[in-house]
Amino acid sequence: MFKFELIQPFIVSIVLGALLGFERAFAKKVDQGGNETLGGIRTFALISLLGCLASFLESNYFKGILSIIIISVIILTAVQYYISFNKYEERGITTEVSIIICFIIGVMVQKKLIIQATFVTILVVVVLYLREYISRLNKKVESEDIRAIIKFAIITFVILPLFDPKFALYIK
């Protein structure tokens, strides 16, 4: 008898990868006029599926296969970056990092961390989509603003938890 639970992780990983790939394809279309670079809807869907499949095989059949495949994905993205850098003089590594995250999302789905994988996917898509806004903000930020942010972070995440345990986020 057919059990949907057996194929659900593979379907979910393809959908989440396609969502990332959709953003990358849109960004490529807007920014570069469609240059030949790594990453689009199909590529990201397949990379996420590869992560899911590698995790499945690691858990059930071939110990060590996940490590071999993630190293292969990293090598592939490094080679693609080298080609893009030389051919198009692209210096950013956003797509390459997104590919590795996409692979990990596929692994997360197979490990039954579907909610977390979905959250990470949405978070990555939002960060990628907000590129132009983040770039504009970066141009407006002064060194005084950076100092204020650092002071706020130190007070919030270091000093405050020391004095009031209810503000300690993950300390048990």
Side-chain angles (χ1 to χ4, degrees):
M1 184 159 149
F2 178 76
K3 292 185 179 181
F4 181 72
E5 299 85 38
L6 296 176
I7 64 167
Q8 180 186 13
F10 301 107
I11 294 169
V12 171
S13 67
I14 286 177
V15 170
L16 294 178
L19 181 61
L20 274 171
F22 180 73
E23 192 290 327
R24 290 286 72 202
F26 178 76
K28 181 171 59 173
K29 179 178 158 186
V30 169
D31 294 343
Q32 304 167 351
N35 281 346
E36 296 174 26
T37 56
L38 185 63
I41 297 170
R42 294 180 306 159
T43 303
F44 275 83
L46 290 173
I47 289 171
S48 183
L49 177 63
L50 180 63
C52 187
L53 183 60
S55 180
F56 173 78
L57 292 173
E58 173 85 17
S59 298
N60 297 299
Y61 301 105
F62 307 111
K63 300 296 179 203
I65 191 86
L66 181 60
S67 300
I68 293 168
I69 294 176
I70 187 64
I71 290 169
S72 301
V73 168
I74 291 170
I75 291 170
L76 174 69
T77 56
V79 168
Q80 176 57 34
Y81 175 76
Y82 178 78
I83 292 168
S84 294
F85 182 80
N86 288 321
K87 190 172 181 181
Y88 301 113
E89 296 183 17
E90 291 181 9
R91 287 172 171 65
I93 61 168
T94 306
T95 299
E96 288 77 9
V97 171
S98 300
I99 285 170
I100 295 167
I101 291 171
C102 186
F103 181 88
I104 294 169
I105 287 169
V107 172
M108 290 173 68
V109 169
Q110 181 60 40
K111 300 286 185 188
K112 297 185 180 9
L113 301 171
I114 295 174
I115 292 172
Q116 295 90 334
T118 304
F119 176 76
V120 169
T121 302
I122 292 169
L123 196 61
V124 170
V125 168
V126 167
V127 168
L128 293 172
Y129 180 75
L130 294 177
R131 176 183 160 259
E132 186 176 319
Y133 302 105
I134 292 170
S135 180
R136 274 192 257 148
L137 177 66
N138 192 30
K139 290 176 185 173
K140 293 180 182 180
V141 173
E142 303 290 330
S143 64
E144 201 174 293
D145 300 323
I146 298 295
R147 273 193 298 265
I149 291 168
I150 292 170
K151 287 177 187 177
F152 175 75
I154 290 171
I155 290 169
T156 304
F157 299 111
V158 177
I159 296 173
L160 196 55
L162 290 175
F163 292 107
D164 192 351
K166 70 179 178 185
F167 287 104
L169 298 176
Y170 294 106
I171 298 173
K172 291 183 180 183

